[in-house]
Short mmCIF file of all heavy atoms in Angstrom, two decimals:
data_model
loop_
_atom_site.label_atom_id
_atom_site.label_comp_id
_atom_site.label_asym_id
_atom_site.label_seq_id
_atom_site.Cartn_x
_atom_site.Cartn_y
_atom_site.Cartn_z
N VAL A 73 8.49 44.26 25.28
CA VAL A 73 7.64 43.30 25.99
C VAL A 73 6.29 43.32 25.31
O VAL A 73 5.76 44.40 25.02
CB VAL A 73 7.48 43.70 27.47
CG1 VAL A 73 6.52 42.77 28.18
CG2 VAL A 73 8.84 43.71 28.17
N ASP A 74 5.74 42.15 25.03
CA ASP A 74 4.38 42.06 24.49
C ASP A 74 3.64 40.96 25.22
O ASP A 74 4.26 40.09 25.85
CB ASP A 74 4.40 41.81 22.98
CG ASP A 74 4.36 43.11 22.20
OD1 ASP A 74 3.53 43.98 22.55
OD2 ASP A 74 5.15 43.28 21.26
N CYS A 75 2.32 41.00 25.11
CA CYS A 75 1.52 40.04 25.87
C CYS A 75 0.23 39.68 25.14
O CYS A 75 -0.06 40.25 24.09
CB CYS A 75 1.20 40.60 27.25
SG CYS A 75 0.14 42.05 27.22
N GLY A 76 -0.52 38.74 25.72
CA GLY A 76 -1.82 38.37 25.18
C GLY A 76 -1.75 37.40 24.03
O GLY A 76 -2.31 37.68 22.97
N GLU A 77 -1.07 36.28 24.24
CA GLU A 77 -0.91 35.29 23.16
C GLU A 77 -0.19 35.89 21.96
O GLU A 77 -0.57 35.66 20.81
CB GLU A 77 -2.27 34.72 22.72
CG GLU A 77 -2.91 33.82 23.74
CD GLU A 77 -2.08 32.58 24.02
OE1 GLU A 77 -1.71 31.88 23.09
OE2 GLU A 77 -1.81 32.33 25.20
N VAL A 78 0.84 36.66 22.23
CA VAL A 78 1.59 37.28 21.14
C VAL A 78 2.22 36.20 20.27
O VAL A 78 2.82 35.24 20.76
CB VAL A 78 2.65 38.27 21.70
CG1 VAL A 78 3.65 37.59 22.60
CG2 VAL A 78 3.35 39.01 20.57
N ARG A 79 2.04 36.36 18.96
CA ARG A 79 2.57 35.37 18.02
C ARG A 79 4.08 35.44 17.93
O ARG A 79 4.66 36.52 17.84
CB ARG A 79 2.02 35.62 16.61
CG ARG A 79 0.63 35.19 16.37
CD ARG A 79 0.36 35.33 14.88
NE ARG A 79 -1.05 35.30 14.61
CZ ARG A 79 -1.69 36.21 13.89
NH1 ARG A 79 -1.03 37.23 13.39
NH2 ARG A 79 -2.97 36.10 13.67
N CYS A 80 4.68 34.26 17.86
CA CYS A 80 6.13 34.16 17.78
C CYS A 80 6.50 32.94 16.96
O CYS A 80 6.00 31.84 17.20
CB CYS A 80 6.70 34.05 19.20
SG CYS A 80 8.42 33.58 19.27
N ARG A 81 7.39 33.14 15.97
CA ARG A 81 7.92 31.99 15.23
C ARG A 81 9.19 31.55 15.94
O ARG A 81 10.18 32.27 15.96
CB ARG A 81 8.18 32.34 13.78
CG ARG A 81 8.75 31.15 13.03
CD ARG A 81 8.57 31.14 11.52
NE ARG A 81 8.77 32.41 10.87
CZ ARG A 81 8.49 32.62 9.58
NH1 ARG A 81 7.99 31.65 8.84
NH2 ARG A 81 8.71 33.80 9.04
N LEU A 82 9.16 30.35 16.50
CA LEU A 82 10.31 29.81 17.22
C LEU A 82 11.34 29.20 16.29
O LEU A 82 12.52 29.12 16.63
CB LEU A 82 9.84 28.73 18.21
CG LEU A 82 8.92 29.19 19.34
CD1 LEU A 82 8.45 27.98 20.13
CD2 LEU A 82 9.61 30.19 20.25
N ASN A 83 10.88 28.73 15.14
CA ASN A 83 11.75 27.98 14.24
C ASN A 83 11.24 28.17 12.82
O ASN A 83 10.05 28.35 12.60
CB ASN A 83 11.71 26.50 14.64
CG ASN A 83 12.81 25.69 14.01
OD1 ASN A 83 13.93 26.17 13.85
ND2 ASN A 83 12.51 24.46 13.66
N ARG A 84 12.15 28.11 11.84
CA ARG A 84 11.76 28.29 10.44
C ARG A 84 11.63 26.97 9.67
O ARG A 84 10.81 26.87 8.77
CB ARG A 84 12.76 29.19 9.71
CG ARG A 84 12.60 30.64 10.05
CD ARG A 84 13.54 31.51 9.22
NE ARG A 84 13.05 32.87 9.17
CZ ARG A 84 12.21 33.33 8.26
NH1 ARG A 84 11.76 32.54 7.32
NH2 ARG A 84 11.81 34.58 8.30
N ASP A 85 12.43 25.98 10.00
CA ASP A 85 12.42 24.74 9.20
C ASP A 85 12.43 23.52 10.11
O ASP A 85 13.51 23.11 10.53
CB ASP A 85 13.62 24.72 8.26
CG ASP A 85 13.55 23.58 7.25
OD1 ASP A 85 12.45 23.03 7.07
OD2 ASP A 85 14.59 23.25 6.68
N PRO A 86 11.27 22.96 10.41
CA PRO A 86 9.95 23.39 9.95
C PRO A 86 9.48 24.61 10.74
O PRO A 86 9.97 24.89 11.83
CB PRO A 86 9.05 22.18 10.27
CG PRO A 86 9.70 21.55 11.47
CD PRO A 86 11.19 21.76 11.27
N SER A 87 8.53 25.31 10.14
CA SER A 87 8.02 26.51 10.77
C SER A 87 7.24 26.17 12.03
O SER A 87 6.43 25.25 12.03
CB SER A 87 7.13 27.26 9.77
OG SER A 87 6.96 28.59 10.17
N GLU A 88 7.54 26.89 13.13
CA GLU A 88 6.84 26.68 14.39
C GLU A 88 6.41 28.04 14.93
O GLU A 88 7.24 28.92 15.15
CB GLU A 88 7.76 26.00 15.41
CG GLU A 88 8.09 24.57 15.02
CD GLU A 88 9.04 23.91 15.99
OE1 GLU A 88 10.01 24.56 16.41
OE2 GLU A 88 8.80 22.74 16.31
N VAL A 89 5.10 28.19 15.11
CA VAL A 89 4.53 29.45 15.59
C VAL A 89 3.68 29.15 16.81
O VAL A 89 2.85 28.24 16.79
CB VAL A 89 3.67 30.12 14.50
CG1 VAL A 89 3.04 31.41 15.02
CG2 VAL A 89 4.50 30.41 13.25
N VAL A 90 3.89 29.92 17.87
CA VAL A 90 3.13 29.75 19.11
C VAL A 90 2.61 31.10 19.56
O VAL A 90 3.05 32.15 19.08
CB VAL A 90 4.00 29.13 20.23
CG1 VAL A 90 4.46 27.73 19.84
CG2 VAL A 90 5.20 30.01 20.56
N GLY A 91 1.69 31.08 20.51
CA GLY A 91 1.23 32.29 21.18
C GLY A 91 1.73 32.25 22.62
O GLY A 91 1.63 31.22 23.27
N ILE A 92 2.27 33.36 23.10
CA ILE A 92 2.87 33.41 24.43
C ILE A 92 2.13 34.44 25.26
O ILE A 92 1.82 35.54 24.78
CB ILE A 92 4.37 33.76 24.33
CG1 ILE A 92 5.10 32.76 23.43
CG2 ILE A 92 5.01 33.80 25.71
CD1 ILE A 92 6.55 33.11 23.15
N ASP A 93 1.87 34.11 26.54
CA ASP A 93 1.14 35.05 27.41
C ASP A 93 1.87 36.38 27.53
O ASP A 93 1.30 37.44 27.28
CB ASP A 93 0.96 34.44 28.80
CG ASP A 93 -0.15 33.39 28.85
OD1 ASP A 93 -1.02 33.40 27.96
OD2 ASP A 93 -0.15 32.58 29.78
N VAL A 94 3.13 36.35 27.94
CA VAL A 94 3.97 37.55 28.06
C VAL A 94 5.37 37.17 27.59
O VAL A 94 5.85 36.08 27.93
CB VAL A 94 4.05 38.07 29.52
CG1 VAL A 94 4.90 39.33 29.59
CG2 VAL A 94 2.67 38.32 30.10
N ALA A 95 6.01 38.03 26.83
CA ALA A 95 7.36 37.71 26.35
C ALA A 95 8.20 38.98 26.23
O ALA A 95 7.68 40.07 26.00
CB ALA A 95 7.30 37.00 25.00
N PHE A 96 9.50 38.78 26.41
CA PHE A 96 10.48 39.86 26.26
C PHE A 96 11.47 39.48 25.18
O PHE A 96 12.08 38.41 25.24
CB PHE A 96 11.21 40.09 27.59
CG PHE A 96 12.51 40.83 27.46
CD1 PHE A 96 12.54 42.14 27.00
CD2 PHE A 96 13.72 40.22 27.79
CE1 PHE A 96 13.75 42.83 26.88
CE2 PHE A 96 14.92 40.89 27.68
CZ PHE A 96 14.95 42.20 27.22
N TRP A 97 11.60 40.35 24.16
CA TRP A 97 12.60 40.18 23.11
C TRP A 97 13.68 41.22 23.34
O TRP A 97 13.40 42.42 23.41
CB TRP A 97 11.99 40.38 21.72
CG TRP A 97 11.23 39.20 21.24
CD1 TRP A 97 11.70 38.17 20.48
CD2 TRP A 97 9.84 38.91 21.47
NE1 TRP A 97 10.69 37.26 20.24
CE2 TRP A 97 9.55 37.68 20.84
CE3 TRP A 97 8.84 39.57 22.18
CZ2 TRP A 97 8.29 37.11 20.86
CZ3 TRP A 97 7.58 39.00 22.21
CH2 TRP A 97 7.32 37.79 21.56
N ARG A 98 14.90 40.77 23.44
CA ARG A 98 16.01 41.68 23.68
C ARG A 98 16.60 42.14 22.34
O ARG A 98 16.88 41.33 21.47
CB ARG A 98 17.10 40.98 24.51
CG ARG A 98 18.19 41.92 24.94
CD ARG A 98 19.12 41.28 25.91
NE ARG A 98 20.14 42.23 26.32
CZ ARG A 98 21.02 41.99 27.26
NH1 ARG A 98 21.01 40.86 27.92
NH2 ARG A 98 21.91 42.91 27.55
N GLY A 99 16.79 43.45 22.19
CA GLY A 99 17.42 44.00 21.00
C GLY A 99 16.59 45.09 20.34
O GLY A 99 15.36 45.05 20.34
N ALA A 100 17.29 46.05 19.76
CA ALA A 100 16.64 47.18 19.10
C ALA A 100 15.86 46.75 17.86
O ALA A 100 14.91 47.43 17.46
CB ALA A 100 17.68 48.23 18.71
N GLU A 101 16.24 45.63 17.26
CA GLU A 101 15.56 45.19 16.03
C GLU A 101 14.10 44.82 16.27
O GLU A 101 13.32 44.68 15.32
CB GLU A 101 16.30 44.00 15.39
CG GLU A 101 16.29 42.72 16.20
CD GLU A 101 17.45 42.60 17.17
OE1 GLU A 101 17.99 43.63 17.62
OE2 GLU A 101 17.81 41.46 17.49
N PHE A 102 13.70 44.68 17.53
CA PHE A 102 12.31 44.32 17.83
C PHE A 102 11.47 45.53 18.22
O PHE A 102 10.32 45.39 18.61
CB PHE A 102 12.27 43.28 18.97
CG PHE A 102 12.99 42.01 18.63
CD1 PHE A 102 14.19 41.70 19.25
CD2 PHE A 102 12.49 41.15 17.68
CE1 PHE A 102 14.87 40.54 18.94
CE2 PHE A 102 13.15 39.98 17.36
CZ PHE A 102 14.35 39.67 17.98
N SER A 103 12.03 46.74 18.10
CA SER A 103 11.35 47.94 18.60
C SER A 103 10.07 48.26 17.84
O SER A 103 9.13 48.82 18.40
CB SER A 103 12.29 49.14 18.57
OG SER A 103 12.72 49.40 17.27
N THR A 104 10.00 47.93 16.57
CA THR A 104 8.79 48.18 15.78
C THR A 104 7.97 46.90 15.70
O THR A 104 8.52 45.85 15.32
CB THR A 104 9.17 48.65 14.36
OG1 THR A 104 9.96 49.83 14.46
CG2 THR A 104 7.94 48.92 13.54
N PRO A 105 6.68 46.94 16.03
CA PRO A 105 5.87 45.73 15.95
C PRO A 105 5.86 45.17 14.53
O PRO A 105 5.65 45.91 13.56
CB PRO A 105 4.46 46.21 16.36
CG PRO A 105 4.70 47.46 17.14
CD PRO A 105 5.93 48.08 16.54
N PRO A 106 6.11 43.89 14.39
CA PRO A 106 6.15 43.29 13.05
C PRO A 106 4.76 43.20 12.44
O PRO A 106 3.78 42.97 13.14
CB PRO A 106 6.73 41.90 13.31
CG PRO A 106 6.39 41.60 14.73
CD PRO A 106 6.37 42.91 15.45
N THR A 107 4.69 43.42 11.12
CA THR A 107 3.40 43.36 10.43
C THR A 107 3.39 42.39 9.25
O THR A 107 2.34 41.91 8.86
CB THR A 107 3.00 44.75 9.90
OG1 THR A 107 4.03 45.26 9.05
CG2 THR A 107 2.77 45.71 11.06
N ASN A 108 4.55 42.10 8.70
CA ASN A 108 4.58 41.24 7.50
C ASN A 108 5.77 40.28 7.55
O ASN A 108 6.84 40.64 7.09
CB ASN A 108 4.66 42.11 6.24
CG ASN A 108 4.45 41.28 4.97
OD1 ASN A 108 3.90 40.19 5.02
ND2 ASN A 108 4.90 41.81 3.85
N PRO A 109 5.57 39.09 8.10
CA PRO A 109 4.33 38.56 8.66
C PRO A 109 4.06 39.14 10.04
O PRO A 109 4.97 39.66 10.69
CB PRO A 109 4.61 37.05 8.74
CG PRO A 109 6.09 36.95 8.89
CD PRO A 109 6.67 38.10 8.13
N PRO A 110 2.79 39.04 10.50
CA PRO A 110 2.40 39.65 11.77
C PRO A 110 2.78 38.79 12.98
O PRO A 110 1.92 38.26 13.68
CB PRO A 110 0.89 39.78 11.62
CG PRO A 110 0.51 38.63 10.75
CD PRO A 110 1.65 38.46 9.79
N LEU A 111 4.09 38.66 13.19
CA LEU A 111 4.57 37.87 14.32
C LEU A 111 6.03 38.19 14.56
O LEU A 111 6.72 38.71 13.68
CB LEU A 111 4.40 36.37 14.05
CG LEU A 111 4.94 35.78 12.74
CD1 LEU A 111 6.44 35.56 12.77
CD2 LEU A 111 4.25 34.47 12.47
N TYR A 112 6.50 37.90 15.76
CA TYR A 112 7.93 38.03 16.04
C TYR A 112 8.63 36.83 15.41
O TYR A 112 8.22 35.69 15.61
CB TYR A 112 8.19 38.10 17.54
CG TYR A 112 7.82 39.43 18.11
CD1 TYR A 112 6.59 39.61 18.73
CD2 TYR A 112 8.68 40.50 18.02
CE1 TYR A 112 6.24 40.85 19.25
CE2 TYR A 112 8.34 41.75 18.53
CZ TYR A 112 7.11 41.91 19.14
OH TYR A 112 6.78 43.14 19.65
N ASP A 113 9.66 37.10 14.64
CA ASP A 113 10.30 36.06 13.85
C ASP A 113 11.58 35.55 14.52
O ASP A 113 12.59 35.33 13.86
CB ASP A 113 10.61 36.58 12.44
CG ASP A 113 10.69 35.44 11.42
OD1 ASP A 113 10.48 34.27 11.82
OD2 ASP A 113 10.97 35.72 10.25
N ALA A 114 11.51 35.39 15.83
CA ALA A 114 12.64 34.87 16.61
C ALA A 114 12.13 34.51 17.99
O ALA A 114 11.16 35.11 18.47
CB ALA A 114 13.74 35.94 16.72
N PRO A 115 12.76 33.54 18.63
CA PRO A 115 12.34 33.22 19.99
C PRO A 115 12.67 34.37 20.93
O PRO A 115 13.67 35.08 20.75
CB PRO A 115 13.16 31.97 20.35
CG PRO A 115 14.29 31.94 19.40
CD PRO A 115 13.86 32.68 18.17
N PRO A 116 11.84 34.60 21.95
CA PRO A 116 12.13 35.67 22.90
C PRO A 116 13.23 35.25 23.86
O PRO A 116 13.55 34.07 23.99
CB PRO A 116 10.80 35.83 23.64
CG PRO A 116 10.18 34.47 23.59
CD PRO A 116 10.60 33.90 22.26
N THR A 117 13.78 36.22 24.55
CA THR A 117 14.70 35.92 25.64
C THR A 117 13.94 35.30 26.81
O THR A 117 14.41 34.35 27.44
CB THR A 117 15.39 37.22 26.11
OG1 THR A 117 16.10 37.79 25.01
CG2 THR A 117 16.37 36.95 27.26
N LEU A 118 12.75 35.83 27.07
CA LEU A 118 11.91 35.36 28.18
C LEU A 118 10.51 35.07 27.66
O LEU A 118 9.90 35.93 27.01
CB LEU A 118 11.83 36.44 29.27
CG LEU A 118 10.81 36.21 30.39
CD1 LEU A 118 11.19 35.01 31.25
CD2 LEU A 118 10.67 37.48 31.25
N ALA A 119 10.00 33.88 27.95
CA ALA A 119 8.61 33.53 27.67
C ALA A 119 7.93 33.24 29.00
O ALA A 119 8.46 32.48 29.81
CB ALA A 119 8.53 32.32 26.76
N VAL A 120 6.77 33.85 29.22
CA VAL A 120 6.03 33.65 30.46
C VAL A 120 4.69 33.00 30.15
O VAL A 120 3.94 33.50 29.30
CB VAL A 120 5.78 34.99 31.18
CG1 VAL A 120 5.03 34.76 32.49
CG2 VAL A 120 7.09 35.74 31.42
#
Side-chain angles (χ1 to χ4, degrees):
V73 175
D74 268 314
C75 65
E77 289 297 308
V78 60
R79 283 189 196 128
C80 168
R81 179 157 42 189
L82 297 174
N83 194 37
R84 284 184 158 271
D85 189 17
S87 198
E88 292 178 317
V89 178
V90 297
I92 303 173
D93 283 339
V94 181
F96 161 63
W97 281 268
R98 187 171 181 173
E101 66 270 27
F102 300 109
S103 60
T104 302
T107 56
N108 190 21
L111 51 78
Y112 285 97
D113 205 2
T117 301
L118 170 67
V120 181

